[in-house]
Amino acid sequence: MTGLPDTSSSRGVAVVIGLGSMGMGMALSLKKAGFDVLGADVSADAVARFVQAGGRAISKLAEDVKQADVVVSVVVNAAQTEGVLFGADGIADSMKPGSGFISSATMDPAIARKLAAQLEAKGVHYLDAPISGGAARAAKGELTVMASGSPAAFAAARAALDAMATKVYELGDAAGQGAAFKMINQLLAGVHIAAACEAITFAAKQGLDLDKVYEVITASAGNSWMFENRIPHVLAGDYTPLSAIEIFVKDLGIIQDMALSERYPVPLSAAALQMYLAASGAGMGRDDDSSLARIYAQLSGAKLPERAE
Amino acid sequence: MTGLPDTSSSRGVAVVIGLGSMGMGMALSLKKAGFDVLGADVSADAVARFVQAGGRAISKLAEDVKQADVVVSVVVNAAQTEGVLFGADGIADSMKPGSGFISSATMDPAIARKLAAQLEAKGVHYLDAPISGGAARAAKGELTVMASGSPAAFAAARAALDAMATKVYELGDAAGQGAAFKMINQLLAGVHIAAACEAITFAAKQGLDLDKVYEVITASAGNSWMFENRIPHVLAGDYTPLSAIEIFVKDLGIIQDMALSERYPVPLSAAALQMYLAASGAGMGRDDDSSLARIYAQLSGAKLPERAE
């Protein structure tokens, strides 16, 4: 019965576009909260996993989206978000007037403002709603959302937000502000990972006991959320991607674009971006972002811990 | 009776060299713990304040130090430490063999190793013991010490350390390791302050609500100890120095020296140092280190909060 509403549902119909590690968890959180959820992804495997978990597959997006009360877009970037809305098979013209579009991709605030204006011209409410919290919290409906949009956009999105997030920051009454807050967070996160890797590998170069460095720094004024979270990967020599180098190639790239456009110098972010580019260029783009430590080690001869077999 | 031991004391005689905001607190903590404490400073005012608080003034350092069981050096840098020990009026030749020298200045580990070797050749134990925690914790005897040195150096320093600190990390059996840990912390702290100022002023440039930015970031993955601690100064527009720009001109300068000598690239630290140099060059060297935000604002036209009158 793909494509037809599940009449046992009481919360309305939600379409989730993008069933990656975040989108899958968000789709299942919506389902758990009583939404009738249809999922779409370019990967047939991802859709199959969603169906196996009890979700319904989109059959034809531009058709199925007509019944949606809310669409949650959990794609990678601004270009994909624009494609979802206004591309060749875009949904902007099919969405119900008065329904809500929740845009979760991290993007330049200027683009969020542009997309929102284009969609709202069609009577659909755009909520600028970047997320944070990671896959585990997405699966539990415990994300943090940095949201901005019109009161109507918040109203259209409210039930879905409540299902997916424990913390929704309401950051303004227009699209772009949510994106701007998220980019400030990404600037700091990206710089802090690079600083953490610069520091721990410098400690290795000097022959310090790295477990002790971790113990001392996490109890000192040099600590950061990212140092505490990422350096254990370096200590274990395990660069299995929890969050990949390419994420910060993208996000610090957006910071550079914003900085250029705003005429605002960002020397720290610029230096950090070069390290992510080096890691990506060296073939580590899909590895964990703590792989910056391996670049520092390559550039200096420092010896880092190797993964236990 | 300046210069003669106070026979009511049971913990021995301690000489504290440097009665600045940290040294004063450390000297008084030693006194509270039962040491007979003699204090020295180039500033007669500082010495007078110490005497008023119940301490004793050094009359002639090279003489008075002969009775000391432990000397605590709380001067600004390696050059001053070297001057205290081996300068024209240096104390190295006067100190009791078997007594302890606790060196608290932040410095290049290579210099700590050199000073330790020179002093130990005279039979005096050198403890490499940089401190953190700030003036308020110094006054309460609640510092954190990152210490390394021989077992004999730890033994000679133990009672004084216990009086001044609640946490003593024992980081190795040779001078230099304490200094190296401290420098790793300073690298991170210096970069994080610069990143915090880059981010908050970028938020200002975009017209975001800065109090809200502080609320969101301190609850997010972009947080750091320094963001949380320093950004309130920017929000209040109050750059009264709690820790001055020149501290990080010095400490990131040491990082550059170490990096050069170790052939270890530090792009993040290098970018941060340029911002501290800019702030110092612009006349803010003795202002709070959160003044980097004012440099970003000058360079971009961003408007930061002004201090309430």
Side-chain angles (χ1 to χ4, degrees), chain A residues 169 181 184-185 188 192 195 198-199 201-202 205-206 213 219-220 222-223 225 258 262 264 266-269 296 300, chain B residues 169 181 184-185 188 192 195 198-199 201-202 205-206 213 219-220 222-223 225 258 262 264 266-269 296 300:
Chain A
Y169 289 109
F181 272 76
I184 295 295
N185 185 68
L188 288 161
H192 292 168
E198 185 165 305
T201 315
F202 198 20
K205 175 78 178 178
Q206 295 173 73
V213 171
S220 298
N223 196 26
W225 194 98
M258 293 168 65
E262 299 263 3
Y264 182 88
V266 285
L268 277 287
S269 310
Y296 280 103
S300 67
Chain B
Y169 289 108
F181 272 76
I184 295 295
N185 184 68
L188 288 161
H192 292 168
E198 184 165 305
T201 314
F202 197 19
K205 174 79 177 177
Q206 295 173 72
V213 171
S220 298
N223 196 27
W225 193 98
M258 293 168 65
E262 299 264 3
Y264 181 88
V266 286
L268 277 287
S269 309
Y296 280 104
S300 66

Side-chain angles (χ1 to χ4, degrees), chain B residues 224-245:
Chain B
S224 69
W225 193 98
M226 280 297 177
F227 186 95
E228 196 158 342
N229 184 267
R230 296 302 206 270
I231 294 306
H233 308 175
V234 178
L235 300 181
D238 185 354
Y239 300 94
T240 306
L242 297 182
S243 177
I245 287 284

Side-chain angles (χ1 to χ4, degrees), chain A residues 117-129:
Chain A
Q118 287 178 267
L119 189 62
E120 288 178 352
K122 296 179 187 293
V124 177
H125 303 300
Y126 183 105
L127 192 76
D128 175 18

